Amino acid sequence: MRNPTATFSRASSLFPSLSSFPLLLSRSSITLASLAPATGTRTSPSRIPGTSRSWYSSNSSSRHASPPIRWLTMAPSTFKLNTGQDIPAVGFGTWQAGPGEVAAAVTYALKVGYRLIDAAYCYGNEDEVGQGLKAAFDAGHARREDVFVITKLWNTYSSRAEVGLDKSLRALGLDYVDLFLVHWPVGMNPDGNDDRFPKLPDGSRDMLWDHDHVATWRRMEALVATGKARGVGVCNYSAPYLRRLLEHATVVPAVNQIENHPGLPQQDVVDLCREKGIHVIAYSPLGSSGGPLLQSEPVTKVAERKGVSPGTVLLSYHVARGSTVLAKSVTEARIKANLEIVDLDADDRKILDDYSAALARDGSVQRFVYPPFGVNFGFPDKNSGRSLPNGV
């Protein structure tokens, strides 16, 4: 199995000004393999400056152990994927943006310095994302080759990966995407009563219960040779699902995009991804719609210490952990503000670390995004549902 080592580039400071964002230069690299200690050992502080107060083995059956959080003390501007691509540390997300709002938001995001745009067929707004990209390119805010574009294969196209990719490319107005991701490791009826969300007469999702996510991944692997996707990856993969996939994969996923925040650190998944050279992209960093984590006492405490907003703390949390984070808004002021990433010192990190550890110890982690597929995906906090082939 091909398993290239992923690295990330570190800048001396991140986003010193919005206008200089595209010009940041890296000074050093650290391999992601060095971030992951051997099972049952601690991370060497000489490798990763910061703290790691309690090691949690990814093979442990205990969901109450305190998860370690390994930190970077200097915020990087980009990360190196196992494909050789550089992916920005902060990206612009387009999920749940209302009709008529997305195009202008994408254009403005590129104008003020974003260089990663995250889209998906499921969101139903790829055409507007494409309009925003074109407007930004035409205005000279960015060049296509400087913008990292991600989109995703939806469940109703799990057996037709290239068809799904072609539909997304047409909507986006692009010849290729930088990454094409499996949105969820499930399949839904491609001939159902809706192209995105087919339902049965009782209102439940019209699922394909014989779906094998490994078969879908083989179709994804074949797309790289077409040139229409520069790399492929997955979303919403638990550690057990990822291990099953890697047993059969000839191409290691470039990324695993997961819900991730202090209330849901998912350290078992993050550690496995590091071990295998798979980069983590965090979505819903504020805890999904309404930003429920913005009012969390540990987050507001760190925000007061740093003199920044709780949102800035939550976004900076991921970059410090070595992950790319997706920020989303359609408000210009907030779009610009979300580019502010601050370095978190040891005391800041301990506050967030202790919060995550307490939630894990009490079995009360907070997962906000979990569609009603009725499938057991192998997440420790969601261990019910039906099993699928090569699942759990």
Side-chain angles (χ1 to χ4, degrees):
M1 183 194 307
R2 180 169 65 83
N3 186 14
T5 301
T7 64
F8 64 84
S9 303
R10 295 202 300 178
S12 59
S13 61
L14 185 63
F15 311 143
S17 68
L18 291 172
S19 61
S20 65
F21 172 84
L23 303 177
L24 289 171
L25 301 177
S26 63
R27 287 187 174 181
S28 62
S29 295
I30 299 177
T31 63
L32 282 183
S34 72
L35 300 183
T39 300
T41 63
R42 288 185 181 271
T43 302
S44 167
S46 64
R47 292 266 186 156
I48 300 300
T51 60
S52 179
R53 279 165 287 283
S54 176
W55 169 242
Y56 172 58
S57 167
S58 59
N59 295 324
S60 172
S61 60
S62 173
R63 57 179 287 200
H64 304 296
S66 299
I69 297 181
R70 286 171 292 283
W71 302 88
L72 309 178
T73 58
M74 187 185 302
S77 60
T78 62
F79 298 93
K80 183 74 74 177
L81 300 182
N82 62 25
T83 59
Q85 298 164 287
D86 291 315
I87 186 171
V90 179
F92 185 73
T94 60
W95 181 40
Q96 294 182 324
E101 298 178 320
V102 184
V106 168
T107 300
Y108 184 75
L110 292 174
K111 179 180 179 180
V112 299
Y114 288 85
R115 291 297 178 263
L116 165 59
I117 303 296
D118 181 77
Y121 180 73
C122 168
Y123 302 164
N125 57 16
E126 284 179 312
D127 55 342
E128 288 195 42
V129 173
Q131 294 166 17
L133 289 169
K134 184 178 186 303
F137 298 153
D138 290 347
H141 299 325
R143 301 177 301 172
R144 170 64 188 97
E145 57 266 34
D146 298 326
V147 178
F148 200 103
V149 180
I150 298 174
T151 196
K152 308 176 189 75
L153 178 73
W154 186 236
N155 309 332
T156 47
Y157 289 84
S158 60
S159 62
R160 304 170 293 158
E162 189 164 6
V163 173
L165 175 56
D166 288 342
K167 290 191 73 168
S168 288
L169 289 175
R170 284 194 296 271
L172 293 167
L174 301 176
D175 297 325
Y176 70 93
V177 290
D178 297 272
L179 280 181
F180 190 47
L181 312 181
V182 176
H183 207 145
W184 285 89
V186 299
M188 298 172 71
N189 188 355
D191 301 313
N193 58 11
D194 188 86
D195 188 47
R196 291 183 174 87
F197 301 103
K199 293 182 179 180
L200 297 173
D202 65 0
S204 63
R205 300 285 174 90
D206 193 354
M207 307 296 296
L208 299 179
W209 294 110
D210 60 350
H211 170 76
D212 185 344
H213 66 102
V214 171
T216 296
W217 183 248
R218 293 195 180 102
R219 300 181 184 101
M220 296 288 287
E221 291 176 329
L223 294 177
V224 178
T226 69
K228 293 185 285 190
R230 298 289 173 86
V232 289
V234 297
C235 303
N236 301 301
Y237 264 62
S238 66
Y241 258 73
L242 194 56
R243 289 191 186 94
R244 287 294 183 94
L245 182 68
L246 292 174
E247 289 173 0
H248 303 278
T250 58
V251 175
V252 175
V255 304
N256 184 13
Q257 187 178 130
I258 57 174
E259 180 185 349
N260 207 212
H261 44 72
L264 188 68
Q266 298 214 72
Q267 200 64 40
D268 59 336
V269 181
V270 172
D271 287 338
L272 180 60
C273 287
R274 285 175 176 167
E275 176 189 339
K276 301 300 182 181
I278 300 169
H279 184 58
V280 172
I281 301 178
Y283 72 78
S284 294
L286 310 185
S288 194
S289 300
L293 289 179
L294 294 173
Q295 289 77 44
S296 171
E297 190 274 334
V299 175
T300 59
K301 183 176 181 179
V302 173
E304 291 172 1
R305 284 173 44 84
K306 305 299 291 186
V308 298
S309 71
T312 294
V313 171
L314 288 168
L315 295 173
S316 301
Y317 164 87
H318 296 286
V319 180
R321 276 164 61 88
S323 303
T324 289
V325 61
L326 300 176
K328 61 186 183 71
S329 178
V330 294
T331 305
E332 288 189 355
R334 190 169 298 168
I335 291 172
K336 183 182 291 187
N338 286 341
L339 276 178
E340 181 185 2
I341 299 297
V342 296
D343 294 324
L344 302 178
D345 65 31
D347 290 335
D348 302 324
R349 299 192 298 267
K350 185 178 187 306
I351 292 168
L352 298 175
D353 190 349
D354 289 348
Y355 173 60
S356 297
L359 291 176
R361 183 175 58 251
D362 298 338
S364 55
V365 295
Q366 302 164 291
R367 186 181 298 273
F368 296 97
V369 181
Y370 202 73
F373 295 131
V375 174
N376 185 350
F377 291 111
F379 294 112
D381 57 300
K382 296 284 186 181
N383 56 6
S384 63
R386 294 178 62 172
S387 296
L388 295 176
N390 276 310
V392 295

